[in-house]
Short mmCIF file of all heavy atoms in Angstrom, two decimals:
data_model
loop_
_atom_site.label_atom_id
_atom_site.label_comp_id
_atom_site.label_asym_id
_atom_site.label_seq_id
_atom_site.Cartn_x
_atom_site.Cartn_y
_atom_site.Cartn_z
N MET A 29 62.28 -11.03 35.16
CA MET A 29 62.06 -10.42 33.79
C MET A 29 62.55 -8.97 33.86
O MET A 29 62.23 -8.21 34.82
CB MET A 29 60.63 -10.53 33.35
CG MET A 29 60.32 -9.81 32.13
SD MET A 29 58.75 -10.12 31.35
CE MET A 29 59.02 -11.68 30.51
N LYS A 30 63.13 -8.48 32.93
CA LYS A 30 63.75 -7.10 32.69
C LYS A 30 62.54 -6.22 32.48
O LYS A 30 61.54 -6.58 31.75
CB LYS A 30 64.80 -6.97 31.67
CG LYS A 30 65.96 -7.79 32.03
CD LYS A 30 67.05 -7.48 30.89
CE LYS A 30 68.41 -8.04 31.19
NZ LYS A 30 69.22 -7.88 30.01
N SER A 31 62.64 -5.02 32.90
CA SER A 31 61.67 -4.05 32.68
C SER A 31 61.36 -3.82 31.09
O SER A 31 60.28 -3.58 30.76
CB SER A 31 62.03 -2.70 33.29
OG SER A 31 62.06 -2.95 34.75
N SER A 32 62.43 -3.75 30.38
CA SER A 32 62.26 -3.44 28.97
C SER A 32 61.47 -4.62 28.39
O SER A 32 60.61 -4.36 27.48
CB SER A 32 63.62 -3.13 28.23
OG SER A 32 64.45 -4.43 28.27
N SER A 33 61.92 -5.77 28.65
CA SER A 33 61.14 -6.93 27.95
C SER A 33 59.80 -7.03 28.34
O SER A 33 58.89 -7.22 27.41
CB SER A 33 61.88 -8.21 28.41
OG SER A 33 63.27 -8.28 27.95
N LEU A 34 59.41 -6.81 29.58
CA LEU A 34 58.05 -6.78 30.15
C LEU A 34 57.17 -5.74 29.31
O LEU A 34 56.12 -5.90 28.83
CB LEU A 34 57.90 -6.67 31.48
CG LEU A 34 56.47 -6.49 32.11
CD1 LEU A 34 55.79 -7.87 31.79
CD2 LEU A 34 56.60 -6.30 33.65
N SER A 35 57.91 -4.52 29.15
CA SER A 35 57.23 -3.37 28.56
C SER A 35 57.01 -3.70 27.07
O SER A 35 55.89 -3.30 26.55
CB SER A 35 58.16 -2.26 28.74
OG SER A 35 57.46 -1.04 28.45
N PHE A 36 57.92 -4.31 26.30
CA PHE A 36 57.75 -4.62 24.96
C PHE A 36 56.65 -5.60 24.87
O PHE A 36 55.76 -5.49 23.82
CB PHE A 36 59.03 -5.00 24.41
CG PHE A 36 60.04 -3.97 24.07
CD1 PHE A 36 61.36 -4.18 24.32
CD2 PHE A 36 59.76 -2.83 23.50
CE1 PHE A 36 62.36 -3.18 24.12
CE2 PHE A 36 60.68 -1.74 23.35
CZ PHE A 36 62.01 -2.03 23.68
N TYR A 37 56.71 -6.60 25.61
CA TYR A 37 55.54 -7.77 25.50
C TYR A 37 54.19 -7.05 25.77
O TYR A 37 53.32 -7.39 25.04
CB TYR A 37 55.78 -8.84 26.48
CG TYR A 37 56.94 -9.69 26.15
CD1 TYR A 37 57.84 -10.21 27.19
CD2 TYR A 37 57.27 -10.00 24.78
CE1 TYR A 37 58.95 -10.93 26.95
CE2 TYR A 37 58.37 -10.88 24.58
CZ TYR A 37 59.15 -11.35 25.65
OH TYR A 37 60.27 -12.09 25.21
N ALA A 38 54.09 -6.22 26.77
CA ALA A 38 52.75 -5.70 27.02
C ALA A 38 52.28 -4.70 25.84
O ALA A 38 51.25 -4.58 25.60
CB ALA A 38 52.84 -4.87 28.35
N ALA A 39 53.33 -3.98 25.39
CA ALA A 39 53.02 -3.03 24.21
C ALA A 39 52.56 -3.78 23.04
O ALA A 39 51.61 -3.34 22.42
CB ALA A 39 54.27 -2.29 23.79
N VAL A 40 53.10 -4.93 22.82
CA VAL A 40 52.64 -5.78 21.60
C VAL A 40 51.13 -6.28 21.89
O VAL A 40 50.35 -6.21 21.08
CB VAL A 40 53.56 -7.00 21.34
CG1 VAL A 40 53.04 -7.90 20.37
CG2 VAL A 40 54.82 -6.41 20.66
N ILE A 41 50.83 -6.72 23.10
CA ILE A 41 49.54 -7.16 23.35
C ILE A 41 48.63 -6.08 23.32
O ILE A 41 47.44 -6.12 22.66
CB ILE A 41 49.56 -7.81 24.80
CG1 ILE A 41 50.30 -9.18 24.80
CG2 ILE A 41 48.11 -7.94 25.32
CD1 ILE A 41 50.57 -9.76 26.20
N ALA A 42 48.85 -4.77 23.80
CA ALA A 42 48.08 -3.51 23.67
C ALA A 42 47.81 -3.37 22.24
O ALA A 42 46.70 -2.91 21.99
CB ALA A 42 48.69 -2.61 24.63
N VAL A 43 48.69 -3.32 21.40
CA VAL A 43 48.60 -2.85 20.08
C VAL A 43 47.64 -3.84 19.28
O VAL A 43 46.86 -3.63 18.49
CB VAL A 43 49.95 -2.60 19.28
CG1 VAL A 43 50.60 -3.87 18.81
CG2 VAL A 43 49.57 -1.74 17.97
N LEU A 44 47.89 -5.17 19.65
CA LEU A 44 47.03 -6.19 19.07
C LEU A 44 45.54 -6.12 19.43
O LEU A 44 44.63 -6.15 18.60
CB LEU A 44 47.58 -7.60 19.34
CG LEU A 44 48.85 -7.99 18.68
CD1 LEU A 44 49.31 -9.29 19.13
CD2 LEU A 44 48.75 -7.86 17.04
N VAL A 45 45.35 -5.89 20.70
CA VAL A 45 43.97 -5.65 21.24
C VAL A 45 43.44 -4.31 20.72
O VAL A 45 42.15 -4.31 20.20
CB VAL A 45 43.94 -5.66 22.80
CG1 VAL A 45 42.63 -5.21 23.34
CG2 VAL A 45 44.37 -7.00 23.23
N GLY A 46 44.16 -3.30 20.70
CA GLY A 46 43.73 -1.98 20.12
C GLY A 46 43.31 -2.08 18.70
O GLY A 46 42.34 -1.54 18.20
N MET A 47 44.13 -2.80 17.92
CA MET A 47 43.86 -2.94 16.48
C MET A 47 42.55 -3.83 16.17
O MET A 47 41.76 -3.54 15.41
CB MET A 47 44.95 -3.54 15.64
CG MET A 47 46.05 -2.43 15.53
SD MET A 47 47.45 -2.97 14.18
CE MET A 47 47.92 -4.55 15.10
N SER A 48 42.56 -4.89 17.06
CA SER A 48 41.33 -5.69 16.87
C SER A 48 40.02 -4.91 17.25
O SER A 48 39.06 -5.07 16.59
CB SER A 48 41.49 -6.79 17.75
OG SER A 48 42.60 -7.73 17.42
N TRP A 49 40.19 -4.02 18.23
CA TRP A 49 39.05 -3.31 18.79
C TRP A 49 38.66 -2.27 17.67
O TRP A 49 37.37 -2.08 17.34
CB TRP A 49 39.40 -2.69 20.03
CG TRP A 49 38.20 -2.15 20.79
CD1 TRP A 49 36.97 -2.08 20.56
CD2 TRP A 49 38.34 -1.36 22.09
NE1 TRP A 49 36.18 -1.47 21.52
CE2 TRP A 49 37.04 -1.02 22.37
CE3 TRP A 49 39.42 -1.07 22.95
CZ2 TRP A 49 36.77 -0.27 23.61
CZ3 TRP A 49 39.03 -0.35 24.01
CH2 TRP A 49 37.76 0.03 24.53
N GLY A 50 39.58 -1.69 17.10
CA GLY A 50 39.40 -0.77 15.96
C GLY A 50 38.78 -1.41 14.71
O GLY A 50 37.79 -0.77 14.19
N ILE A 51 39.22 -2.57 14.41
CA ILE A 51 38.47 -3.29 13.32
C ILE A 51 37.19 -3.73 13.66
O ILE A 51 36.22 -3.62 12.87
CB ILE A 51 39.42 -4.48 13.03
CG1 ILE A 51 40.76 -4.04 12.36
CG2 ILE A 51 38.61 -5.45 12.02
CD1 ILE A 51 41.84 -5.28 12.18
N PHE A 52 36.78 -4.07 14.89
CA PHE A 52 35.55 -4.50 15.27
C PHE A 52 34.63 -3.31 15.27
O PHE A 52 33.51 -3.41 14.79
CB PHE A 52 35.66 -5.06 16.68
CG PHE A 52 34.17 -5.41 17.22
CD1 PHE A 52 33.51 -6.44 16.70
CD2 PHE A 52 33.61 -4.53 18.13
CE1 PHE A 52 32.20 -6.69 17.40
CE2 PHE A 52 32.44 -4.76 18.62
CZ PHE A 52 31.70 -5.86 18.22
N MET A 53 35.09 -2.14 15.74
CA MET A 53 34.34 -0.94 15.68
C MET A 53 34.01 -0.53 14.24
O MET A 53 32.83 -0.08 13.87
CB MET A 53 34.89 0.26 16.30
CG MET A 53 34.96 0.23 17.85
SD MET A 53 35.51 1.70 18.77
CE MET A 53 36.97 2.05 17.92
N ALA A 54 34.97 -0.67 13.29
CA ALA A 54 34.76 -0.33 11.87
C ALA A 54 33.74 -1.29 11.26
O ALA A 54 32.85 -0.84 10.39
CB ALA A 54 36.08 -0.51 11.09
N ILE A 55 33.84 -2.56 11.50
CA ILE A 55 32.81 -3.53 10.94
C ILE A 55 31.48 -3.37 11.43
O ILE A 55 30.53 -3.30 10.76
CB ILE A 55 33.37 -4.91 11.21
CG1 ILE A 55 34.61 -5.25 10.56
CG2 ILE A 55 32.36 -5.92 10.83
CD1 ILE A 55 35.25 -6.52 10.93
N SER A 56 31.36 -3.10 12.76
CA SER A 56 30.05 -2.82 13.43
C SER A 56 29.51 -1.38 13.12
O SER A 56 28.30 -1.20 13.44
CB SER A 56 30.06 -3.13 14.90
OG SER A 56 30.83 -2.12 15.46
N GLN A 57 30.23 -0.52 12.70
CA GLN A 57 29.81 0.83 12.52
C GLN A 57 29.44 1.54 13.84
O GLN A 57 28.58 2.50 13.77
CB GLN A 57 28.79 0.92 11.42
CG GLN A 57 29.11 0.53 10.02
CD GLN A 57 30.13 1.55 9.50
OE1 GLN A 57 30.07 2.67 9.58
NE2 GLN A 57 31.13 0.98 8.91
N ASP A 58 29.90 1.12 14.89
CA ASP A 58 29.60 1.61 16.22
C ASP A 58 30.86 2.23 16.81
O ASP A 58 31.70 1.48 17.25
CB ASP A 58 29.00 0.56 17.15
CG ASP A 58 28.73 1.11 18.57
OD1 ASP A 58 28.48 2.35 18.67
OD2 ASP A 58 28.66 0.30 19.48
N HIS A 59 31.08 3.51 16.76
CA HIS A 59 32.26 4.19 17.22
C HIS A 59 32.13 4.83 18.52
O HIS A 59 32.75 5.67 18.90
CB HIS A 59 32.64 5.15 16.06
CG HIS A 59 33.10 4.58 14.74
ND1 HIS A 59 32.22 4.28 13.93
CD2 HIS A 59 34.21 4.12 14.27
CE1 HIS A 59 32.75 3.74 12.67
NE2 HIS A 59 34.05 3.71 13.15
N SER A 60 31.17 4.38 19.33
CA SER A 60 30.86 4.96 20.76
C SER A 60 32.10 4.65 21.60
O SER A 60 32.22 5.40 22.49
CB SER A 60 29.70 4.44 21.17
OG SER A 60 29.81 2.97 21.47
N ALA A 61 32.90 3.69 21.38
CA ALA A 61 33.98 3.30 22.28
C ALA A 61 35.37 3.93 21.76
O ALA A 61 36.38 3.62 22.20
CB ALA A 61 34.07 1.91 22.40
N MET A 62 35.30 4.88 20.76
CA MET A 62 36.50 5.42 20.15
C MET A 62 37.50 5.90 21.18
O MET A 62 38.73 5.88 21.00
CB MET A 62 36.12 6.24 18.99
CG MET A 62 37.14 6.75 18.18
SD MET A 62 37.82 8.29 18.54
CE MET A 62 36.57 9.44 18.64
N PRO A 63 36.94 6.79 22.11
CA PRO A 63 37.88 7.30 23.14
C PRO A 63 38.67 6.25 23.94
O PRO A 63 39.92 6.52 24.12
CB PRO A 63 37.08 8.21 24.04
CG PRO A 63 35.89 8.55 23.16
CD PRO A 63 35.64 7.28 22.32
N ALA A 64 38.01 5.16 24.25
CA ALA A 64 38.67 4.26 25.08
C ALA A 64 39.66 3.44 24.07
O ALA A 64 40.77 3.13 24.56
CB ALA A 64 37.63 3.33 25.54
N HIS A 65 39.31 3.24 22.93
CA HIS A 65 40.26 2.53 21.96
C HIS A 65 41.45 3.46 21.76
O HIS A 65 42.56 3.06 21.59
CB HIS A 65 39.51 2.50 20.73
CG HIS A 65 40.26 2.25 19.32
ND1 HIS A 65 41.06 1.04 19.06
CD2 HIS A 65 40.57 3.04 18.33
CE1 HIS A 65 41.69 1.32 18.02
NE2 HIS A 65 41.31 2.55 17.51
N ALA A 66 41.38 4.80 21.61
CA ALA A 66 42.41 5.60 21.32
C ALA A 66 43.33 5.82 22.54
O ALA A 66 44.47 5.72 22.44
CB ALA A 66 41.86 7.06 21.05
N HIS A 67 42.77 5.63 23.72
CA HIS A 67 43.58 5.65 25.02
C HIS A 67 44.24 4.30 25.18
O HIS A 67 45.40 4.43 25.55
CB HIS A 67 42.68 5.94 26.19
CG HIS A 67 42.44 7.43 26.47
ND1 HIS A 67 41.41 8.04 25.71
CD2 HIS A 67 43.17 8.30 27.25
CE1 HIS A 67 41.43 9.36 26.26
NE2 HIS A 67 42.50 9.55 26.95
N LEU A 68 43.64 3.17 24.77
CA LEU A 68 44.43 1.92 24.89
C LEU A 68 45.66 2.06 23.87
O LEU A 68 46.68 1.60 24.20
CB LEU A 68 43.44 0.84 24.39
CG LEU A 68 44.17 -0.56 24.40
CD1 LEU A 68 44.61 -1.04 25.72
CD2 LEU A 68 43.20 -1.52 23.75
N ASN A 69 45.44 2.52 22.69
CA ASN A 69 46.50 2.66 21.82
C ASN A 69 47.60 3.57 22.25
O ASN A 69 48.79 3.22 22.18
CB ASN A 69 46.07 2.92 20.27
CG ASN A 69 45.40 1.76 19.76
OD1 ASN A 69 45.75 0.71 19.91
ND2 ASN A 69 44.46 2.14 18.91
N LEU A 70 47.15 4.71 22.70
CA LEU A 70 48.23 5.76 23.18
C LEU A 70 48.89 5.40 24.38
O LEU A 70 50.13 5.39 24.43
CB LEU A 70 47.51 7.11 23.22
CG LEU A 70 48.49 8.27 23.66
CD1 LEU A 70 49.50 8.40 22.55
CD2 LEU A 70 47.69 9.52 23.85
N LEU A 71 48.05 5.10 25.35
CA LEU A 71 48.66 4.91 26.72
C LEU A 71 49.24 3.48 26.91
O LEU A 71 50.17 3.16 27.60
CB LEU A 71 47.71 5.06 27.81
CG LEU A 71 47.14 6.52 27.96
CD1 LEU A 71 46.14 6.64 28.98
CD2 LEU A 71 48.28 7.47 28.21
N GLY A 72 48.64 2.49 26.08
CA GLY A 72 49.11 1.11 26.18
C GLY A 72 50.24 0.84 25.25
O GLY A 72 51.43 0.64 25.74
N TRP A 73 50.07 1.00 23.89
CA TRP A 73 50.99 0.71 23.10
C TRP A 73 52.33 1.72 22.94
O TRP A 73 53.34 1.33 23.24
CB TRP A 73 50.44 0.57 21.58
CG TRP A 73 51.51 0.34 20.59
CD1 TRP A 73 52.32 -0.72 20.63
CD2 TRP A 73 51.76 1.06 19.51
NE1 TRP A 73 53.04 -0.62 19.48
CE2 TRP A 73 52.72 0.42 18.76
CE3 TRP A 73 51.11 2.27 18.85
CZ2 TRP A 73 53.20 0.98 17.51
CZ3 TRP A 73 51.61 2.73 17.77
CH2 TRP A 73 52.62 2.18 17.04
N VAL A 74 51.84 2.93 22.72
CA VAL A 74 52.99 3.99 22.61
C VAL A 74 53.82 4.11 23.94
O VAL A 74 55.05 4.10 23.84
CB VAL A 74 52.39 5.30 22.03
CG1 VAL A 74 53.53 6.40 22.09
CG2 VAL A 74 51.67 5.18 20.79
N SER A 75 53.27 4.42 24.97
CA SER A 75 53.90 4.61 26.27
C SER A 75 54.69 3.41 26.71
O SER A 75 55.82 3.65 27.02
CB SER A 75 52.86 4.95 27.37
OG SER A 75 52.28 6.23 26.92
N LEU A 76 54.05 2.17 26.64
CA LEU A 76 54.91 0.99 27.09
C LEU A 76 56.04 0.84 26.06
O LEU A 76 57.24 0.38 26.64
CB LEU A 76 53.99 -0.13 27.05
CG LEU A 76 53.03 -0.28 28.25
CD1 LEU A 76 52.04 -1.26 28.15
CD2 LEU A 76 53.84 -0.42 29.54
N PHE A 77 55.87 1.04 24.79
CA PHE A 77 57.01 0.96 23.90
C PHE A 77 58.17 1.94 24.18
O PHE A 77 59.34 1.53 24.19
CB PHE A 77 56.45 0.98 22.42
CG PHE A 77 57.49 0.66 21.42
CD1 PHE A 77 57.73 -0.80 21.21
CD2 PHE A 77 58.24 1.53 20.83
CE1 PHE A 77 58.59 -1.17 20.23
CE2 PHE A 77 59.20 1.14 19.85
CZ PHE A 77 59.47 -0.16 19.59
N LEU A 78 57.73 3.09 24.47
CA LEU A 78 58.72 4.18 24.86
C LEU A 78 59.50 3.86 26.34
O LEU A 78 60.63 3.98 26.24
CB LEU A 78 58.16 5.52 24.91
CG LEU A 78 57.69 6.23 23.70
CD1 LEU A 78 56.99 7.41 23.83
CD2 LEU A 78 58.90 6.36 22.71
N PHE A 79 58.65 3.33 27.14
CA PHE A 79 59.24 2.78 28.50
C PHE A 79 60.34 1.71 28.09
O PHE A 79 61.39 1.72 28.63
CB PHE A 79 58.27 2.14 29.32
CG PHE A 79 57.34 3.26 30.00
CD1 PHE A 79 56.07 2.77 30.66
CD2 PHE A 79 57.72 4.57 30.08
CE1 PHE A 79 55.39 3.66 31.29
CE2 PHE A 79 56.94 5.42 30.72
CZ PHE A 79 55.67 5.07 31.28
N GLY A 80 59.87 0.92 27.11
CA GLY A 80 60.92 -0.41 26.77
C GLY A 80 62.08 0.20 26.11
O GLY A 80 63.19 -0.20 26.42
N ILE A 81 62.04 1.21 25.35
CA ILE A 81 63.26 1.73 24.73
C ILE A 81 63.99 2.52 25.67
O ILE A 81 65.30 2.40 25.75
CB ILE A 81 62.82 2.81 23.52
CG1 ILE A 81 62.10 1.96 22.40
CG2 ILE A 81 63.92 3.59 23.07
CD1 ILE A 81 61.65 2.86 21.46
N PHE A 82 63.51 3.29 26.48
CA PHE A 82 64.26 3.96 27.62
C PHE A 82 64.99 3.03 28.54
O PHE A 82 66.24 3.25 28.72
CB PHE A 82 63.24 4.73 28.52
CG PHE A 82 63.96 5.45 29.63
CD1 PHE A 82 64.69 6.64 29.50
CD2 PHE A 82 63.91 5.04 30.96
CE1 PHE A 82 65.37 7.41 30.46
CE2 PHE A 82 64.51 5.69 31.99
CZ PHE A 82 65.36 6.75 31.78
N TYR A 83 64.37 1.96 29.04
CA TYR A 83 65.06 1.11 29.84
C TYR A 83 66.07 0.17 29.16
O TYR A 83 66.99 -0.19 29.68
CB TYR A 83 64.09 0.10 30.56
CG TYR A 83 63.29 0.88 31.63
CD1 TYR A 83 61.83 0.84 31.75
CD2 TYR A 83 63.96 1.63 32.62
CE1 TYR A 83 61.21 1.51 32.69
CE2 TYR A 83 63.17 2.34 33.58
CZ TYR A 83 61.83 2.20 33.65
OH TYR A 83 61.21 2.95 34.61
N ARG A 84 65.85 -0.02 27.97
CA ARG A 84 66.87 -0.81 27.06
C ARG A 84 68.15 0.12 26.92
O ARG A 84 69.14 -0.42 26.88
CB ARG A 84 66.28 -1.20 25.66
CG ARG A 84 67.06 -2.07 24.89
CD ARG A 84 67.38 -3.43 25.47
NE ARG A 84 66.39 -4.20 25.88
CZ ARG A 84 65.76 -5.24 25.17
NH1 ARG A 84 66.18 -5.51 23.94
NH2 ARG A 84 64.82 -5.86 25.54
N LEU A 85 67.90 1.34 26.80
CA LEU A 85 69.05 2.25 26.57
C LEU A 85 69.73 2.62 27.84
O LEU A 85 70.91 3.13 27.84
CB LEU A 85 68.61 3.52 25.93
CG LEU A 85 68.07 3.36 24.54
CD1 LEU A 85 67.61 4.77 23.95
CD2 LEU A 85 69.22 2.97 23.53
N HIS A 86 69.12 2.28 28.96
CA HIS A 86 69.67 2.59 30.26
C HIS A 86 69.72 1.29 31.17
O HIS A 86 68.83 1.05 32.02
CB HIS A 86 68.87 3.66 31.16
CG HIS A 86 68.91 4.86 30.44
ND1 HIS A 86 67.96 5.30 29.43
CD2 HIS A 86 69.81 6.08 30.56
CE1 HIS A 86 68.27 6.57 29.04
NE2 HIS A 86 69.41 6.92 29.63
N PRO A 87 70.77 0.38 30.83
CA PRO A 87 70.72 -0.95 31.49
C PRO A 87 70.90 -0.91 33.06
O PRO A 87 70.37 -1.84 33.70
CB PRO A 87 71.93 -1.65 30.95
CG PRO A 87 72.54 -0.64 29.98
CD PRO A 87 71.79 0.65 29.97
N ALA A 88 71.43 0.11 33.58
CA ALA A 88 71.56 0.14 35.05
C ALA A 88 70.13 0.39 35.66
O ALA A 88 69.95 -0.11 36.83
CB ALA A 88 72.45 1.46 35.38
N LEU A 89 69.19 1.10 34.97
CA LEU A 89 67.92 1.18 35.56
C LEU A 89 67.12 0.13 35.27
O LEU A 89 66.10 -0.04 35.99
CB LEU A 89 67.39 2.70 34.89
CG LEU A 89 68.08 3.86 35.25
CD1 LEU A 89 67.35 4.97 34.40
CD2 LEU A 89 67.98 4.28 36.69
N GLU A 90 67.38 -0.55 34.16
CA GLU A 90 66.38 -1.56 33.65
C GLU A 90 66.24 -2.77 34.78
O GLU A 90 65.21 -3.31 34.86
CB GLU A 90 67.03 -2.22 32.54
CG GLU A 90 66.09 -3.22 31.86
CD GLU A 90 66.79 -3.80 30.46
OE1 GLU A 90 67.94 -3.81 30.33
OE2 GLU A 90 65.91 -4.06 29.66
N THR A 91 67.28 -2.98 35.44
CA THR A 91 67.16 -4.06 36.50
C THR A 91 66.63 -3.65 37.78
O THR A 91 66.57 -4.59 38.68
CB THR A 91 68.59 -4.77 36.60
OG1 THR A 91 69.55 -3.81 36.92
CG2 THR A 91 68.96 -5.52 35.44
N SER A 92 66.46 -2.33 37.96
CA SER A 92 65.94 -1.92 39.34
C SER A 92 64.57 -2.34 39.66
O SER A 92 63.86 -2.53 38.61
CB SER A 92 66.23 -0.45 39.37
OG SER A 92 65.29 0.29 38.71
N ARG A 93 64.31 -2.41 40.84
CA ARG A 93 62.93 -2.95 41.34
C ARG A 93 61.91 -1.66 40.99
O ARG A 93 60.78 -2.07 40.75
CB ARG A 93 63.01 -3.17 42.88
CG ARG A 93 61.82 -3.91 43.26
CD ARG A 93 62.19 -4.39 44.74
NE ARG A 93 61.17 -5.53 44.82
CZ ARG A 93 61.21 -6.40 45.72
NH1 ARG A 93 62.19 -6.38 46.55
NH2 ARG A 93 60.20 -7.33 45.83
N ILE A 94 62.37 -0.55 41.17
CA ILE A 94 61.27 0.49 40.87
C ILE A 94 60.94 0.65 39.38
O ILE A 94 59.74 0.92 39.12
CB ILE A 94 61.88 1.92 41.41
CG1 ILE A 94 60.73 3.03 41.42
CG2 ILE A 94 63.02 2.44 40.58
CD1 ILE A 94 60.39 3.30 42.84
N ALA A 95 61.90 0.32 38.50
CA ALA A 95 61.50 0.33 37.12
C ALA A 95 60.33 -0.73 36.78
O ALA A 95 59.51 -0.65 36.03
CB ALA A 95 62.67 -0.03 36.32
N LEU A 96 60.71 -2.01 37.34
CA LEU A 96 59.70 -3.02 37.15
C LEU A 96 58.30 -2.73 37.83
O LEU A 96 57.29 -2.99 37.31
CB LEU A 96 60.16 -4.36 37.88
CG LEU A 96 59.43 -5.58 37.57
CD1 LEU A 96 59.34 -5.88 36.07
CD2 LEU A 96 60.09 -6.82 38.23
N MET A 97 58.42 -2.05 39.01
CA MET A 97 57.04 -1.69 39.63
C MET A 97 56.40 -0.48 38.79
O MET A 97 55.21 -0.63 38.49
CB MET A 97 57.27 -0.93 40.98
CG MET A 97 57.58 -1.93 42.03
SD MET A 97 57.89 -1.30 43.65
CE MET A 97 57.18 0.30 43.70
N GLN A 98 57.13 0.44 38.11
CA GLN A 98 56.56 1.27 37.22
C GLN A 98 55.77 0.71 35.98
O GLN A 98 54.76 0.95 35.70
CB GLN A 98 57.47 2.33 36.61
CG GLN A 98 56.98 3.38 35.72
CD GLN A 98 57.94 3.96 34.77
OE1 GLN A 98 58.98 3.43 34.74
NE2 GLN A 98 57.53 5.04 34.16
N VAL A 99 56.52 -0.33 35.39
CA VAL A 99 55.87 -0.90 34.27
C VAL A 99 54.66 -1.74 34.65
O VAL A 99 53.68 -1.72 34.02
CB VAL A 99 56.91 -1.93 33.49
CG1 VAL A 99 56.34 -2.62 32.53
CG2 VAL A 99 58.09 -1.11 33.00
N CYS A 100 54.79 -2.42 35.78
CA CYS A 100 53.67 -3.31 36.32
C CYS A 100 52.42 -2.37 36.63
O CYS A 100 51.22 -2.72 36.24
CB CYS A 100 53.95 -4.07 37.49
SG CYS A 100 55.03 -5.42 37.12
N ILE A 101 52.65 -1.23 37.24
CA ILE A 101 51.54 -0.39 37.59
C ILE A 101 50.90 0.28 36.33
O ILE A 101 49.77 0.48 36.17
CB ILE A 101 52.06 0.82 38.49
CG1 ILE A 101 52.32 0.21 40.00
CG2 ILE A 101 51.05 1.88 38.61
CD1 ILE A 101 53.05 1.19 40.78
N TRP A 102 51.73 0.63 35.35
CA TRP A 102 51.32 1.15 34.09
C TRP A 102 50.41 0.22 33.32
O TRP A 102 49.43 0.48 32.73
CB TRP A 102 52.43 1.49 33.14
CG TRP A 102 51.99 2.58 32.14
CD1 TRP A 102 51.77 2.23 30.75
CD2 TRP A 102 51.81 3.95 32.16
NE1 TRP A 102 51.38 3.20 30.17
CE2 TRP A 102 51.51 4.31 30.86
CE3 TRP A 102 51.96 4.86 33.18
CZ2 TRP A 102 51.11 5.73 30.58
CZ3 TRP A 102 51.72 6.15 32.92
CH2 TRP A 102 51.33 6.51 31.60
N ILE A 103 50.86 -1.11 33.45
CA ILE A 103 49.95 -2.20 32.75
C ILE A 103 48.71 -2.26 33.40
O ILE A 103 47.72 -2.41 32.74
CB ILE A 103 50.81 -3.47 32.75
CG1 ILE A 103 52.08 -3.40 31.82
CG2 ILE A 103 49.88 -4.64 32.32
CD1 ILE A 103 52.99 -4.68 31.90
#
């Protein structure tokens, strides 16, 4: 699997989990996990999406082993 594809898939999963978590916190009126929710959205969704864009724009780096390791470690 290419680094960009893996990064985009993981970003979509992170944003769905982050939004669901935010909706759950809003319904329950318990915002004690808000910092973890914010970090999941920022570090999970935004960063992985930016990694995916970068690797898609640089195809020579996208297929390298170190790029795949970076994405896997970030996940």
